[in-house]
Each structure stands twice: as C-alpha cells, then as structure tokens.
Amino acid sequence: MKDRAYPVALGALPLVAQGAGDDGLRLTLGSILLYILIGAVIGVIARLIISGTGGMSWVVTIVVGIVGALIGGWLAGAIFEETEGVDWIASILVAALLVWIVARAGAGRWGTRRGAL
C-alpha cells in the first residue's frame, strides 16, 4: 500500500485520517461532524477525570475536546514514531489539562455571580 503523508494532528482522529485522499484532508460535512463527535467524546472523558467542572457548558466541553485531540495527537506524533493508541491517551490527557484550566478560569463566572447586584 502506498504511504500517505497525513498531518500529525490527525493522529488523534484516526477515523478522519482514514478518509483522507492523496491530496491530504478533505473537509466534508461528514468529517466535520466526526471531528465534533470525537471532540465531544474526548471532552466528556476529560470532564469525568477532572472534578469541579459542573458549570461548564457542553459547547465548551466539545471545543476543549477538539483542541485537546488536535494538540494531543500532534504531541504524540512528535514524540513517538508509531502513535496507535498513544494518540488517544495523549488527547485525553491534554483535554483533561485544558478542562482543568478552563474550569479554574471560569470558577467565578459559573454557578455563582460575584459582584452581581
């Protein structure tokens, strides 16, 4: 089988990477929905790992999951030659770190209103 050069960030999104053609990633509605689905799964897992995220919205969870998947996949590809399985672990760990940061940054905004009259 011919070797294909995929962007390293796709290591965290193996289902999308399998659908890429010789010209790289083709963004279709299906691939965008797949990014959102995988981002949601990784974001939910990250939220389960980190406590104290009760006020975080699902949109933020999905965005954090997508960003975590992209950064984690890139890091796994930069460190390991073969990333099968490692990319998912790296994606979840990076997303968990991002969830922790976002939850701490929004602690005063969600749940209680400080300074509200």
Side-chain angles (χ1 to χ4, degrees), residues 73-117:
W74 177 79
L75 286 173
I79 296 171
F80 299 102
E81 187 173 318
E82 181 61 41
T83 63
E84 189 172 329
V86 175
D87 48 5
W88 286 93
I89 295 168
S91 298
I92 292 168
L93 291 176
V94 170
L97 177 65
L98 291 175
V99 163
W100 183 81
I101 290 170
V102 169
R104 298 311 169 260
R109 295 183 208 147
W110 298 317
T112 61
R113 290 186 173 184
R114 292 184 182 171
L117 295 175

